[in-house]
Amino acid sequence: MEMKPNFSLKAPMICSKLDLEEEVPYPLTFDEAQQFLRSVLKISDINQRLKRNRLDFLNEYIHKFILYIPFSNIVHFAAKSVRSIEPPTLEKCKSDILGRLGGDCFRLNTFSKALLDLYGFTTYHVGGCNLTDTIYDSHCAIIVCDVSYPGSRHIVETGSVFPVSRAIPIDFKDQSPVYEFSNRKFKFVKGDHGVVWLCIQVKKPHKRRSSQLLEGVFRSEGMTWKLHLGYWTSVPRSRAYFLERTKYRFRFPSVIPYILEGAGLHARRDHGTNFLLASAGDTYFLKNTSDSENIVPKIMTEEEFLDFFAKEFPQYGW
């Protein structure tokens, strides 16, 4: 039996005063962007590729960015305590990406937007959130315009737990085709108020769940899906706006507690496997996130955790 998604997000604040002010410049030069593409992402013949097919270049950029730059909150844990963690400056965001330290959605997607702007793409930021978030625009994403045809819009996501490793066109009517990234199936669904939902296939749905947990779960094309992240695709946001949202998140960490609950790093291997390396208190584990949310994580000792981390991510200097 096919079911429609249960959408429950309210309409966002249409415009913030910060969206109307002069945009805060991102401190990325063209030379830095070019060096990053060539040396870090291993993308060559940049100008020729842009002339040949801008969408193909964009998709390669997204794929390589996710491959080489981890989604992680590790950078927070250089601080002595949660209270001493400061929100990042744009200069710090840039240095974290150039140094392959990665970061959260704000660090990753503000960098990508700035780089794409330098190469002539038309972009704007949008906010997003999931069903459990208590504030709007806890997530920062990118819309790229006019890349396929005049008026086209694509979601570009280089700062997410899940590897959406290509630009997603949002010109579909109700639901997008099914995409598969790293052995997991995704689709996008339109909701109310201009929201486009990123949905993830649920391979083994629990038979007994409360009505609260069933919210956002639906069936389509013979598969079970869960709404993961809603993007406000029709509400452009400024960089200044997200700077303020980030300051708020760090000032009141209990608003989005999972960003500071233990160290976590989502990364992708060359052959496409995604994994989560994380610690929570005295527990350390490694989990393959490419297949199913039900895969049992490998529990590690602290020594194993640090050895694995140092071997796979020498850029952190641990």
Side-chain angles (χ1 to χ4, degrees):
M1 176 179 171
E2 297 290 293
M3 299 171 57
K4 291 184 178 180
N6 178 14
F7 302 110
S8 62
L9 288 186
K10 298 178 181 178
M13 178 173 57
I14 296 303
C15 190
S16 162
K17 178 182 177 182
L18 290 168
D19 292 321
L20 302 176
E21 296 179 354
E22 184 176 353
E23 181 63 295
V24 176
Y26 195 96
L28 181 69
T29 68
F30 184 80
D31 286 345
E32 288 173 327
Q34 189 173 63
Q35 182 69 13
F36 175 77
L37 290 174
R38 290 175 174 172
S39 300
V40 178
L41 300 193
K42 317 298 184 186
I43 298 176
S44 59
D45 302 323
I46 298 167
N47 292 332
Q48 291 86 337
R49 293 187 184 195
L50 284 166
K51 290 178 181 178
R52 190 161 54 240
N53 191 311
R54 294 178 69 79
L55 181 58
D56 284 351
F57 172 86
L58 179 61
N59 285 332
E60 182 177 10
Y61 171 81
I62 297 167
H63 171 76
K64 292 286 186 68
F65 191 98
I66 293 172
L67 181 62
Y68 290 112
I69 309 299
F71 180 88
S72 171
N73 67 354
I74 296 294
V75 292
H76 299 158
F77 291 88
K80 294 181 179 178
S81 70
V82 168
R83 292 181 179 274
S84 67
I85 296 174
E86 295 291 334
T89 63
L90 291 176
E91 187 66 44
K92 180 67 167 65
C93 291
K94 181 187 78 170
S95 66
D96 285 347
I97 307 306
L98 295 180
R100 294 185 60 194
L101 301 183
D104 58 11
C105 62
F106 176 75
R107 282 176 167 86
L108 303 179
N109 280 331
T110 54
F111 179 92
S112 285
K113 180 187 183 302
L115 184 144
L116 293 172
D117 288 347
L118 287 172
Y119 279 93
F121 287 88
T122 301
T123 70
Y124 62 89
H125 278 306
V126 293
C129 60
N130 60 44
L131 292 172
T132 61
D133 285 342
T134 57
I135 62 171
Y136 285 123
D137 296 339
S138 60
H139 183 71
C140 171
I142 309 166
I143 300 292
V144 175
C145 306
D146 307 323
V147 71
S148 292
Y149 56 85
S152 70
R153 292 189 301 160
H154 290 71
I155 294 174
V156 168
E157 185 62 273
T158 57
S160 172
V161 170
F162 295 105
V164 182
S165 52
R166 60 159 292 170
I168 303 297
I170 54 175
D171 57 359
F172 54 86
K173 183 179 179 181
D174 296 313
Q175 300 188 17
S176 76
V178 175
Y179 298 96
E180 185 167 344
F181 305 117
S182 300
N183 302 317
R184 299 198 71 166
K185 288 184 170 64
F186 300 82
K187 76 183 311 178
F188 292 77
V189 176
K190 288 186 176 177
D192 297 331
H193 313 299
V195 174
V196 174
W197 284 95
L198 164 62
C199 305
I200 302 168
Q201 183 192 12
V202 181
K203 293 188 176 181
K204 297 180 181 179
H206 295 286
K207 294 182 179 180
R208 296 182 180 180
R209 287 192 174 190
S210 68
S211 59
Q212 181 181 5
L213 289 177
L214 285 173
E215 183 179 22
V217 176
F218 66 100
R219 285 190 61 79
S220 176
E221 301 180 77
M223 292 178 276
T224 303
W225 302 89
K226 181 170 179 59
L227 305 178
H228 171 66
L229 183 65
Y231 300 92
W232 309 107
T233 60
S234 299
V235 186
R237 294 300 194 189
S238 68
R239 198 174 291 125
Y241 173 82
F242 278 112
L243 276 169
E244 284 302 310
R245 299 303 280 174
T246 299
K247 290 177 184 177
Y248 182 84
R249 285 166 48 194
F250 279 83
R251 193 177 302 124
F252 303 103
S254 61
V255 171
I256 313 178
Y258 54 79
I259 67 171
L260 297 174
E261 287 181 347
L265 184 145
H266 294 264
R268 188 179 190 188
R269 296 190 188 277
D270 289 344
H271 51 72
T273 301
N274 296 286
F275 64 89
L276 167 64
L277 181 68
S279 70
D282 295 328
T283 301
Y284 305 88
F285 62 90
L286 177 67
K287 182 177 181 181
N288 181 341
T289 58
S290 298
D291 185 20
S292 169
E293 66 273 18
N294 297 322
I295 287 180
V296 177
K298 175 186 176 182
I299 304 300
M300 310 171 79
T301 66
E302 181 177 4
E303 183 178 2
E304 289 173 332
F305 176 86
L306 294 175
D307 285 347
F308 182 90
F309 196 95
K311 178 182 177 181
E312 295 288 335
F313 304 99
Q315 63 266 38
Y316 287 93
W318 281 23

